[in-house]
Amino acid sequence: MITRLSQLFLRTLRDDPADAEVASHKLLVRAGYVRRIAPGVYSWLPLGLRVLREVERVVREEMDAIGAQEILLPALLPREPYETSNRWTEYGAGLFRLKDRKGNDYMLGPTHEELFALTVKGEYNSYKDFPVTLYQVQTKYRDEERPRAGILRGREFVMKDSYSFDLTDEGLAASYQAHRDAYERILQRLGVKYVIVSATSGAMGGSASEEFLAESPIGEDTYVRCIESGYAANVEAVKTLAPAAIPFDGQPEAKVYDTPDTPTIESLVDWANGATGVSNEASKTFTAADTLKNIMVKTRVPGGEWELLGIGIPGDREVDEKRLEAALTPAEYVLITETDFKNNPFLVKGYIGPKALQANGIRYLVDPRVVDGTSWITGADEEGKHVVGLVAGRDFTPDGTIEAAEVRDGDPSPDGAGPLVAARGIEVGHVFQLGRKYTDAFGVDVLGENGKPVRPTMGSYGIGVSRLVAVMAEQQHDDKGLRWPAEVSPANVHLVIANKDDAAREGAEALAAELDRAGLSVILDDRKASPGVKFKDSELLGVPLVVVVGRGFAEGNVELRDRFTGESREVPAGTALAEVLAAVRG
Amino acid sequence: MITRLSQLFLRTLRDDPADAEVASHKLLVRAGYVRRIAPGVYSWLPLGLRVLREVERVVREEMDAIGAQEILLPALLPREPYETSNRWTEYGAGLFRLKDRKGNDYMLGPTHEELFALTVKGEYNSYKDFPVTLYQVQTKYRDEERPRAGILRGREFVMKDSYSFDLTDEGLAASYQAHRDAYERILQRLGVKYVIVSATSGAMGGSASEEFLAESPIGEDTYVRCIESGYAANVEAVKTLAPAAIPFDGQPEAKVYDTPDTPTIESLVDWANGATGVSNEASKTFTAADTLKNIMVKTRVPGGEWELLGIGIPGDREVDEKRLEAALTPAEYVLITETDFKNNPFLVKGYIGPKALQANGIRYLVDPRVVDGTSWITGADEEGKHVVGLVAGRDFTPDGTIEAAEVRDGDPSPDGAGPLVAARGIEVGHVFQLGRKYTDAFGVDVLGENGKPVRPTMGSYGIGVSRLVAVMAEQQHDDKGLRWPAEVSPANVHLVIANKDDAAREGAEALAAELDRAGLSVILDDRKASPGVKFKDSELLGVPLVVVVGRGFAEGNVELRDRFTGESREVPAGTALAEVLAAVRG
């Protein structure tokens, strides 16, 4: 196929779009790949659509290779199945909802667990039919609060979602692994630098879950990894490495002190280490890590009542709201208000301690570092008083632990192999072992081998097709423009006519025709523009191999430029076809 | 590619679905091609999706061949452009509307004239860029009042829509013709029997417009054609062949008669031909065609006031509501009420005549048959009185003509070549010369050759991709099941293993592998089912070439069955590959 720039529906832009902040967004707009229609809603112009379709092709090939079968469900979905699974409500404002002319409720599908479960229920009824994995490549909708960075986080986007149905946990594990491997192959073919992190499963329910994050400083997901062991996890999923318990023996009794003017952890530590404090007595210098701060929230499971919850974490750490949210899900939480303090007078603001909580039957969860035998300075449940030497397991017994404290660079990896390092990434894929949440919800039962009904267990797997276009642009661009991996480039070759002589033009046309006959796709820059403009556009558009028919053509040479390395070399025009074929086909 | 029925996500059904009325719907469901999710909203299962994709491929090939360039616009569209074009309102209840989390209005795109005009405006600014034609293959949405026949008239459906932009009327005519030709090629490749009919352009605006109707007795569109000349038109678009004017000379004067008990046209004709009537005097026998009935409606252009309109048509014809609607569009109309009669006492119910209408300044449009010199029996604007011999052009002068009367079998073709015959069809394509409606609305101007701005003129073209799947099923099925044209069949060959011997099974597997290597796609029925069940499924699924490895395999033969003709023949297994290749590649 030959695509002539003189005819292609394309205008490259010299200036960055005003609303663009990240490089991929700027370049995809400047290079005429996408255009904004509304916040998070984009058009795909010819070259952009080609890259999108190539990514879809790669994804399909890898899905087909693991035996997944493609189907296509509607994007316009009736409310009922999502009511049954409770997600009609759970999705909150993130769901586009609408009514049809008869007033019936519909939604635009963000993900399709419900309908795939129902689809399998509709077709299959025997253990002999399993396992089965179905997938679709589909336009999906999420009413993001903050659509961002062009197609990177859109409200209308293309996603490949697949769903495995197995009769055993071992089967599910195998389906999960097959998808995990397929996603690795997809990302490798697209040249995406990624890391697989343990993830919490959020509103999806289920157990084992990993995210594929494309490494990028502009990513919205923070993850940590341990260089020594390769451990990597979404921050929400990091399990704190708990220290060993400490014997109670010999630990002094807890004592309550007047601690005036200690409204902050810092001032409390200053008091402890000060002249009127307890530092000398304890023969140590206290730090914020020796204090235990107690945060009060109210939580509510869907459909339930609000309940008070106390959370104790070492004073040197902040609560990480995302981790707290993930730890509590599906319950939601809010901080308590003045009214709550009034209604619960045993909560002394600024001086809340474990004792009052436990005495009043308030659930109390602590950071995993608060192991038995650790000694804490904490609130004494009286205005202006703190207790020193309050020992966990001896003086108070929490109801459990909670992963609510922030994770910090240098924290020990959960596998004990070394320190954690934080980085940022863009979620491009997600694999879940869902289990039976949806087959339970819809009563998906099939006849088992023993004649009794058996309920399939599901896996759910998603990869962001349109997002991957942005991710490739983000990871692989340089300051001159886009750079596409050969696998998904909008053309195999970008052939620039940079010589006005008729002979050169004819030579370029002949070469383009030869390349076309050899099955390559060629972008042919046959415009009446200066070589400089054409070179700039070839760099901006990002086809990995640029061939220039320029000044050297008079001496019988054409130039091959590698868009990734920037290297160029002259080759005889007569060998250009062979050289290009060798370069493209590796 | 080999698709094993033992593994394919497919369950064929023995019984017709309860909600299906037409054959294509029944068969597509029974054969496991589609499944209903909600009214007019369907899932595509593996084989159905393959056919859909093949139709898309054919459409793309023909679009690319005429130089159209593919892009992809969103389905989720902001309100503003459709507000500008007035279609946000005009679409009425047929549009899915929704709000995002910020309360902004969005819609699901039913067609994209607005955004394509804006897209071209955004990229192009010089006459040098034109002409350009853009297209997309996209999921579209219309909230049909009566979704029908499965995917035939869905609310979520796949359509190819394209838009041409030219600077001259000649250019538009050429772009229109190119699309018209491409649509003919598409329908021919799909084996669709179709007719091209003149059409009104409905809410789309614009002038020249033709519809591609697939011939089918279950079609919702009635069209007429003239066998002699090949003329064909949507009933809404039929222009009445007006008779020649008649001289006034010698025609008697109009006379008012008492016509008691003549509430109907029939009774009026009886009176005229009766003893107290005027038949003897006029030396003729009157028929209903000699009477002129006047229908009163109120019309309103969008945003305007309701106005009275009188419509005069020969008494032997009924008003065709669709034709009337098409004739008045974009104005809407309603019949007048008792209140209107009260407010306009000159309207004597049952006796309305042209005189009172014209005397009171009411707009009065007549059927094109009411030419100058025709003489009519009509209302005399007094209770119980009619006027006889009221001559058009002499005794009253209408404000114009209107195509509101029904078209009947046997009516003369507008080209005068012979009688019209009515038939039914399914609209599968539509080509419009839109003109500048949308480039005017959005001020799309580009620099002209002479340095002055020039406004492009648009064509709009649509073909129903998912609907075509239903149309092929409808036109080409037989009583045993579906029959797909080779061009879009879900596989090239359906290979049935109908022999339990290991040798036969191995032979079939070897043949499937050979076909696969030769680049053919094979559905291999390797299930443990009886030959009868397998044969029935092969007929239901509708792959045009069925190969059976059955009893004859012991003698070294396999059977080739033609699903369209029903013919079968035995060929030596050793030549099966060559025979199949010959059959598939023609």
Side-chain angles (χ1 to χ4, degrees):
Chain A
M1 186 178 56
I2 301 176
T3 304
R4 294 176 182 275
L5 285 191
S6 63
Q7 287 161 31
L8 184 64
F9 185 65
L10 172 76
R11 280 298 169 273
T12 55
L13 309 177
R14 231 176 272 180
D15 298 318
D16 289 332
D19 64 335
E21 286 169 11
V22 308
S24 58
H25 186 191
K26 290 175 188 171
L27 289 172
L28 287 168
V29 171
R30 281 187 50 211
Y33 280 62
V34 300
R35 288 291 179 261
R36 182 182 180 280
I37 299 296
V41 180
Y42 280 76
S43 291
W44 296 84
L45 298 190
L47 297 184
L49 184 58
R50 283 198 204 168
V51 176
L52 181 71
R53 296 287 189 235
E54 292 297 316
V55 176
E56 290 179 4
R57 177 184 54 75
V58 169
V59 170
R60 282 197 173 96
E61 286 172 5
E62 296 298 342
M63 285 296 104
D64 293 343
I66 61 168
Q69 302 186 48
E70 186 173 2
I71 67 175
L72 180 62
L73 268 59
L76 180 67
L77 301 174
R79 170 177 177 160
E80 291 70 23
Y82 289 79
E83 191 74 52
T84 302
S85 70
N86 210 31
R87 292 210 290 186
W88 176 264
T89 309
E90 276 175 18
Y91 267 119
L95 195 64
F96 283 109
R97 297 178 181 82
L98 66 159
K99 284 183 189 294
D100 73 359
R101 64 194 302 152
K102 293 183 175 163
N104 294 316
D105 282 317
Y106 284 80
M107 52 182 270
L108 300 182
T111 171
H112 280 67
E113 280 75 9
E114 287 82 350
L115 285 182
F116 274 80
L118 283 170
T119 296
V120 167
K121 179 179 183 175
E123 305 302 312
Y124 277 177
N125 51 32
S126 162
Y127 71 94
K128 293 177 192 166
D129 300 324
F130 291 84
V132 64
T133 297
L134 302 173
Y135 77 97
Q136 60 178 351
V137 177
Q138 201 205 29
T139 301
K140 290 193 147 42
Y141 297 87
R142 282 184 200 158
D143 197 358
E144 296 281 356
E145 194 168 356
R146 280 178 292 275
R148 181 170 172 259
I151 55 170
L152 193 67
R153 180 185 282 273
R155 299 198 294 171
E156 172 172 320
F157 55 96
V158 180
M159 191 171 138
K160 189 285 300 176
D161 48 330
S162 41
Y163 306 88
S164 64
F165 296 81
D166 283 274
L167 298 187
T168 63
D169 290 348
E170 297 72 38
L172 170 56
S175 297
Y176 179 91
Q177 188 63 39
H179 267 88
R180 194 179 190 277
D181 293 347
Y183 280 19
E184 292 216 58
R185 284 190 296 272
I186 290 167
L187 297 177
Q188 284 159 12
R189 288 175 68 180
L190 303 185
V192 171
K193 289 184 285 294
Y194 66 96
V195 55
I196 303 175
V197 302
S198 301
T200 60
S201 46
M204 305 285 292
S207 52
S209 163
E210 287 169 294
E211 280 178 14
F212 289 73
L213 299 183
E215 299 171 25
S216 171
I218 64 141
E220 291 192 324
D221 288 88
T222 305
Y223 68 96
V224 291
R225 61 169 139 188
C226 171
I227 307 297
E228 284 74 10
S229 66
Y231 167 87
N234 203 315
V235 164
E236 288 92 316
V238 173
K239 300 281 174 225
T240 303
L241 186 66
I246 299 169
F248 301 141
D249 304 355
Q251 293 212 47
E253 277 190 21
K255 246 172 100 178
V256 174
Y257 291 85
D258 281 324
T259 55
D261 304 324
T262 55
T264 63
I265 294 291
E266 195 187 0
S267 55
L268 179 62
V269 171
D270 283 349
W271 166 82
N273 292 330
T276 62
V278 291
S279 179
N280 287 343
E281 192 176 329
S283 308
K284 71 172 277 190
T285 303
F286 291 94
T287 71
D290 295 308
T291 68
L292 181 65
K293 61 181 172 189
N294 295 302
I295 295 100
M296 295 303 304
V297 298
K298 285 189 295 187
T299 70
R300 179 172 69 173
V301 292
E305 298 287 313
W306 287 107
E307 276 180 22
L308 286 175
L309 169 67
I311 296 170
I313 67 170
D316 63 330
R317 290 184 187 258
E318 298 303 321
V319 166
D320 180 322
E321 287 180 23
K322 279 190 171 179
R323 276 170 57 76
L324 174 56
E325 194 184 322
L328 292 175
T329 199
E332 56 179 333
Y333 80 93
V334 291
L335 295 175
I336 67 168
T337 62
E338 290 300 329
T339 311
D340 295 308
F341 277 108
K342 263 184 213 153
N343 293 343
N344 298 282
F346 56 87
L347 295 175
V348 183
K349 201 173 174 184
Y351 299 91
I352 298 170
K355 291 221 155 176
L357 295 177
Q358 301 204 280
N360 289 281
I362 307 299
R363 196 155 67 108
Y364 182 51
L365 302 176
V366 295
D367 186 82
R369 295 171 191 83
V370 186
V371 294
D372 277 3
T374 50
S375 172
W376 302 95
I377 303 176
T378 189
D381 301 308
E382 285 183 70
E383 186 71 30
K385 290 182 197 263
H386 281 91
V387 56
V388 177
L390 197 74
V391 172
R394 182 189 76 182
D395 303 326
F396 67 101
T397 307
D399 297 305
T401 60
I402 185 166
E403 294 287 359
E406 62 184 326
V407 177
R408 290 200 298 236
D409 260 23
D411 278 349
S413 174
D415 58 14
L420 292 175
V421 185
R424 300 187 77 80
I426 301 162
E427 185 187 340
V428 292
H430 207 153
V431 289
F432 290 105
Q433 291 191 25
L434 266 182
R436 296 186 172 80
K437 172 173 174 173
Y438 294 95
T439 48
D440 282 347
F442 297 104
V444 183
D445 281 327
V446 299
L447 191 71
E449 204 165 353
N450 57 5
K452 288 181 187 163
V454 54
R455 185 157 289 181
T457 177
M458 279 175 76
S460 160
Y461 319 91
I463 197 159
V465 174
S466 48
R467 177 174 288 181
L468 276 169
V469 176
V471 163
M472 286 186 291
E474 190 65 37
Q475 282 191 341
Q476 297 172 33
H477 75 275
D478 64 10
D479 56 352
K480 292 170 185 156
L482 298 164
R483 296 192 296 188
W484 297 108
E487 180 87 74
V488 300
S489 172
N492 297 118
V493 183
H494 185 121
L495 177 52
V496 177
I497 307 177
N499 183 329
K500 284 185 181 174
D501 289 350
D502 284 348
R505 177 167 289 270
E506 282 159 24
E509 290 279 356
L511 178 56
E514 280 181 338
L515 292 168
D516 179 38
R517 276 195 298 275
L520 298 195
S521 63
V522 182
I523 290 177
L524 178 62
D525 196 346
D526 59 345
R527 295 175 298 173
K528 289 177 194 157
S530 72
V533 165
K534 292 184 175 186
F535 294 153
K536 270 204 172 359
D537 273 349
S538 76
E539 287 164 341
L540 180 58
L541 296 182
V543 174
L545 177 61
V546 179
V547 177
V548 180
V549 176
R551 272 179 296 187
F553 193 77
E555 288 83 52
N557 290 329
V558 302
E559 186 187 343
L560 267 57
R561 296 183 179 179
D562 183 314
R563 179 67 187 88
F564 275 89
T565 64
E567 287 165 9
S568 79
R569 60 197 172 95
E570 296 256 310
V571 303
T575 68
L577 174 65
E579 294 273 1
V580 169
L581 284 175
V584 168
R585 294 178 179 162
Chain B
M1 185 178 57
I2 300 176
T3 304
R4 295 175 181 277
L5 285 191
S6 63
Q7 287 161 34
L8 184 64
F9 185 66
L10 173 76
R11 279 298 168 273
T12 56
L13 309 177
R14 233 176 271 180
D15 298 319
D16 288 332
D19 65 334
E21 285 170 12
V22 308
S24 58
H25 186 192
K26 289 175 189 170
L27 288 172
L28 287 169
V29 172
R30 281 187 49 211
Y33 280 63
V34 301
R35 289 290 181 260
R36 181 182 180 279
I37 298 297
V41 180
Y42 281 75
S43 291
W44 296 84
L45 297 191
L47 297 184
L49 184 58
R50 283 197 204 168
V51 176
L52 181 71
R53 296 287 189 231
E54 292 297 317
V55 176
E56 290 180 5
R57 178 184 53 76
V58 170
V59 169
R60 282 196 173 96
E61 285 173 4
E62 296 298 341
M63 284 296 104
D64 293 345
I66 61 168
Q69 302 187 48
E70 186 174 4
I71 66 174
L72 180 62
L73 267 60
L76 180 68
L77 301 174
R79 170 176 177 161
E80 292 69 24
Y82 289 79
E83 191 74 52
T84 302
S85 69
N86 208 30
R87 292 211 289 186
W88 176 264
T89 308
E90 277 176 17
Y91 266 119
L95 196 64
F96 283 109
R97 297 177 180 82
L98 66 161
K99 284 182 188 296
D100 73 358
R101 64 194 301 151
K102 292 181 175 165
N104 294 316
D105 282 317
Y106 284 81
M107 53 181 269
L108 301 183
T111 170
H112 280 67
E113 281 75 10
E114 287 82 351
L115 287 181
F116 274 79
L118 284 169
T119 296
V120 167
K121 180 179 182 174
E123 305 302 311
Y124 276 177
N125 51 31
S126 161
Y127 70 95
K128 294 179 191 163
D129 299 324
F130 292 83
V132 64
T133 296
L134 303 173
Y135 78 96
Q136 61 179 351
V137 177
Q138 200 205 30
T139 300
K140 291 194 147 41
Y141 297 87
R142 282 185 200 156
D143 197 358
E144 296 281 355
E145 195 170 355
R146 280 177 291 275
R148 181 172 172 258
I151 55 170
L152 194 67
R153 181 184 281 275
R155 299 198 294 171
E156 173 172 320
F157 55 96
V158 179
M159 192 171 137
K160 188 285 301 175
D161 48 329
S162 42
Y163 306 89
S164 64
F165 297 81
D166 283 275
L167 298 187
T168 64
D169 291 347
E170 297 71 40
L172 170 57
S175 297
Y176 180 90
Q177 188 63 39
H179 267 89
R180 194 179 189 277
D181 293 346
Y183 280 19
E184 293 216 57
R185 284 191 294 272
I186 290 167
L187 296 178
Q188 284 159 14
R189 289 175 68 179
L190 302 185
V192 173
K193 289 183 287 294
Y194 66 95
V195 55
I196 304 177
V197 302
S198 299
T200 60
S201 46
M204 304 284 293
S207 53
S209 163
E210 288 168 292
E211 279 178 15
F212 288 73
L213 299 184
E215 299 171 26
S216 171
I218 63 142
E220 290 192 323
D221 288 88
T222 304
Y223 68 97
V224 292
R225 61 169 140 186
C226 171
I227 307 297
E228 285 74 11
S229 65
Y231 166 88
N234 204 314
V235 164
E236 287 92 315
V238 173
K239 300 280 175 227
T240 303
L241 186 66
I246 298 169
F248 301 140
D249 304 352
Q251 295 211 48
E253 276 191 20
K255 246 172 100 177
V256 173
Y257 291 85
D258 280 324
T259 54
D261 304 324
T262 55
T264 63
I265 295 290
E266 195 187 0
S267 54
L268 180 61
V269 172
D270 283 348
W271 166 82
N273 291 330
T276 61
V278 292
S279 180
N280 288 341
E281 192 177 331
S283 310
K284 71 171 276 189
T285 303
F286 290 94
T287 70
D290 296 308
T291 67
L292 181 66
K293 61 180 173 190
N294 296 301
I295 296 101
M296 296 303 304
V297 300
K298 286 188 296 188
T299 70
R300 180 173 67 175
V301 294
E305 298 288 313
W306 286 109
E307 276 181 23
L308 286 176
L309 170 68
I311 297 169
I313 67 170
D316 63 328
R317 288 182 189 259
E318 298 301 321
V319 167
D320 180 321
E321 287 180 23
K322 279 191 171 177
R323 277 169 57 76
L324 175 57
E325 194 183 324
L328 293 175
T329 198
E332 55 180 333
Y333 80 94
V334 291
L335 296 175
I336 66 168
T337 62
E338 290 299 331
T339 312
D340 295 309
F341 277 108
K342 262 183 214 153
N343 293 343
N344 298 283
F346 57 89
L347 296 175
V348 184
K349 200 172 174 184
Y351 300 91
I352 298 170
K355 290 220 155 174
L357 295 177
Q358 301 204 282
N360 289 281
I362 308 299
R363 197 156 67 108
Y364 181 51
L365 301 175
V366 296
D367 186 81
R369 293 171 191 84
V370 186
V371 294
D372 277 4
T374 50
S375 172
W376 303 96
I377 302 177
T378 187
D381 301 310
E382 284 182 69
E383 186 71 28
K385 290 179 198 257
H386 281 91
V387 57
V388 176
L390 198 75
V391 172
R394 182 189 75 181
D395 303 325
F396 67 101
T397 307
D399 297 306
T401 59
I402 185 165
E403 295 287 358
E406 61 183 326
V407 177
R408 289 200 298 237
D409 260 24
D411 278 350
S413 172
D415 58 15
L420 293 174
V421 184
R424 300 187 78 79
I426 301 163
E427 185 187 339
V428 292
H430 208 152
V431 290
F432 290 105
Q433 291 191 26
L434 266 183
R436 296 186 173 79
K437 172 172 175 176
Y438 294 95
T439 47
D440 282 347
F442 297 103
V444 183
D445 282 327
V446 299
L447 191 71
E449 203 164 353
N450 58 5
K452 288 180 185 164
V454 55
R455 184 156 290 178
T457 178
M458 279 176 75
S460 161
Y461 319 91
I463 197 160
V465 174
S466 48
R467 177 175 288 181
L468 276 169
V469 176
V471 162
M472 286 185 291
E474 189 65 35
Q475 284 191 341
Q476 298 172 33
H477 76 275
D478 65 9
D479 55 352
K480 292 170 185 157
L482 299 164
R483 297 192 296 187
W484 297 109
E487 181 86 73
V488 300
S489 172
N492 297 120
V493 184
H494 185 122
L495 177 51
V496 177
I497 306 178
N499 182 328
K500 285 186 180 174
D501 289 351
D502 283 350
R505 177 166 288 271
E506 282 160 23
E509 291 278 355
L511 178 56
E514 280 181 337
L515 293 167
D516 178 38
R517 276 195 298 275
L520 298 196
S521 62
V522 182
I523 290 178
L524 177 63
D525 194 345
D526 60 344
R527 294 175 299 173
K528 288 179 195 155
S530 74
V533 164
K534 292 183 174 185
F535 294 151
K536 271 204 172 358
D537 274 350
S538 77
E539 287 163 341
L540 180 59
L541 295 182
V543 174
L545 179 61
V546 178
V547 176
V548 180
V549 176
R551 273 179 295 186
F553 194 77
E555 287 82 53
N557 290 328
V558 303
E559 186 187 341
L560 267 58
R561 295 183 181 182
D562 184 313
R563 179 67 186 87
F564 275 89
T565 64
E567 285 164 13
S568 80
R569 60 198 170 96
E570 296 256 310
V571 303
T575 68
L577 174 64
E579 294 273 1
V580 169
L581 285 175
V584 167
R585 292 175 181 165

